[in-house]
Amino acid sequence: MIFDLFDNDYDEDGFRTCNVTGMSIHRSVENPVKVFGLTAVVALVVGGFFAIGVALTRWEFVGLLGPEEFYRWLSLHAWNLLIFWMVFMEIAILYVGGPMVLGRRLPIPKIAKVGWGTMVTGALVINYAIWTTEAPNQAPLLTSYAPLPSSPYFYAGAIIFILGSVVAALPFFVSLWQEKSWGEGGSLPLVTFGAFVTSIIAVEALLGGLAVMVYAFLWRIEILESIDAAVYRQVFWIIGHGTQQINLVAMVTVWYFLTHIVGGAEVVSEKVSRTAFVLYIFFINLGAAHHLLSDPVVSISWRIWNASYAFYGATLASLIHAFAIPAGIEAGRRRRGKGGGLFGWLTNAPWKNPVFSATIFSIILFGFVGGITGVVMGQVQLNMTWVRTLATVGHFHGTVALGTTIAFMGLVYFVIRTMFMREFRFGRLASLQPYLYAATMTAATLMLMYIGLLYGVPRRIHSVVRDIPGTDFSLSAAEPLMMIFGPFALLAIISGAAFVVVALASVLFGERKLPGSDLVPDEGVEFESDEPVHKFDMRGTFVITLIFLGAFIVVYIANWYLLSQLWSIGP
Ligand code: HEM
């Protein structure tokens, strides 16, 4: 049965033509995409399992774990979800965006296998190191901030995992080089271009990661006598935030890919979209400085330049994509005669198709929940009310647990139908799952933000409502919101589990069938007009953009108001 998963009808040369995308796909690309995708889902299961303990502890009504276990579970939650679930998916995305979209074989396939094996080894070592952490070692959390020591195995595992990711990305780079050397010339397709930008940012992040983990490892095995905490923090965030930038750019690439295939989107202006990708290369890394906005070591001008100015270059890029993608859907659907008023193009879209709904929820929730709050808290003054509180956790669950995770869920659904060639098991649940996860995770995320912002409840602590050791400071006022957070967090975990059940049941037991026309826009309806796509109306998107702008302004003003309430200045 296992080998059956990797068997499609290929011609003598190992190619087949996908009846959904029209792409010419070689066996050597398709199989690694499946393997990396399935490995990512396993990491999602592990990280999701540890979310149970984390959520049931922070929901102090239950208060499941004591401090030691809480940090162990939180670390396993973070590494499996933020790093392994995402990075395995991202390597799959590089293979899709590179050789698959270009219609090539995967170059150096053995290197891809070595990369996968090394990444899996690194992930296992890290899980082992965290699970067996004992004093004086500390569970590393995501940041493994020096000088708190973690197990040397942890740093070794991180180095192995990072090296494995670099190795696994090599076939992608070679495929681009082949395209440039042997191809027909001209620009790379937009999706390949997006994957290429992702890979540039990834290389930068991984090199930074290698530097910081080797530094910490040498200190931990006592080759270096001491470690400079300030240097560690600055270099750490090259990968710490760098991986989030990879997530962001990979996610935007997936948005372009899936909205085009299942939503009928056209790219309204290639130049504008490509320029937005290029902006990421220049500015997004500088934005990582927002993690140090409240650190005393770096100068205030360094902080303001990087976070409050340079970062807006990357924000502009995201705003361009946030406009370009819905505009592409609107114009593309109107071109097929699926317009109808201001929002007809949206309301009559294929909402029952989980690939489509997941992609759209990802776009909306990333923008409204993760994106707006990211820009707000990346501002040097406002950062003070967010940093080190649960509001920060709310923000990044908006970006990665809503935006990226939902987009990647959509991609996995797509791979199940078009590469594993399986019909969904529990079809109704498959259609509903993106709605359930999006709704419940949004509610849990908003609660985290409110709890942090309104009451200043700190992050990374197992209990605050009942006691903060050594103080009589009470945060019990936050309890009602925690009572809302807890049940929604559990429901979000259950909805995530529903995704895993549908995905694995479909892959293993789904009916094997060529994907049907339900995956392509309006069952394959042709364009009604030959007019270029930018001639079509995009007024619906314009209205959505104004709503977004309105939400942005309200959140921005509300945050300044909250800041002004913190302390009074003057006598
Ligand atoms: C399925 C539902 C999820 C729930 C209920 C949940 C819940 C939580 C909570 C309550 C915390 C904060 C703990 C604290 O600071 O005291 C946390 C931390 C975190 N979560 Fe999640 N989470 C979920 C999904 C995800 C996903 C999908 C990702 C990534 C893709 C993720 C990544 C993280 C990270 C990176 C941290 C921070 C760890 C640290 O502070 O080092 N979570 N989660």
Side-chain angles (χ1 to χ4, degrees), residues 212 215 228-236:
V212 79
Y215 181 39
D228 183 327
V231 170
Y232 177 92
R233 288 162 88 91
Q234 274 198 48
V235 184
F236 172 81

Side-chain angles (χ1 to χ4, degrees), residues 51 54-55 58 70 74 77-78 81-82 85-86 141-143 390 393 396-397 400-401 405 437 441 448 459-461 485 489 492-493:
V54 172
R58 291 305 320 237
F70 173 68
L74 184 54
H77 171 69
L81 288 179
L82 195 66
W85 152 240
M86 300 266 143
L141 303 178
L142 179 75
T143 42
L390 273 181
V393 181
F396 66 72
H397 280 74
V400 291
T405 294
Y437 181 79
M441 194 71 216
L448 286 171
R459 64 184 286 203
R460 293 176 158 177
I461 184 159
F485 162 75
I493 294 169

Side-chain angles (χ1 to χ4, degrees), residues 133-147:
T133 296
E134 272 183 19
N137 290 326
Q138 310 285 323
L141 303 178
L142 179 75
T143 42
S144 51
Y145 269 157

Side-chain angles (χ1 to χ4, degrees), residues 3 8 14 42 58 102 174 183 211 239 272 314 363 373-374 376 392 395 408 434-435 510 565:
F3 290 111
N8 280 330
V42 173
R58 291 305 320 237
L102 296 172
V174 177
I239 185 159
V272 170
I363 298 173
T373 55
V376 166
T392 298
H395 153 69
F408 288 3
Y435 292 81
Q565 298 302 298

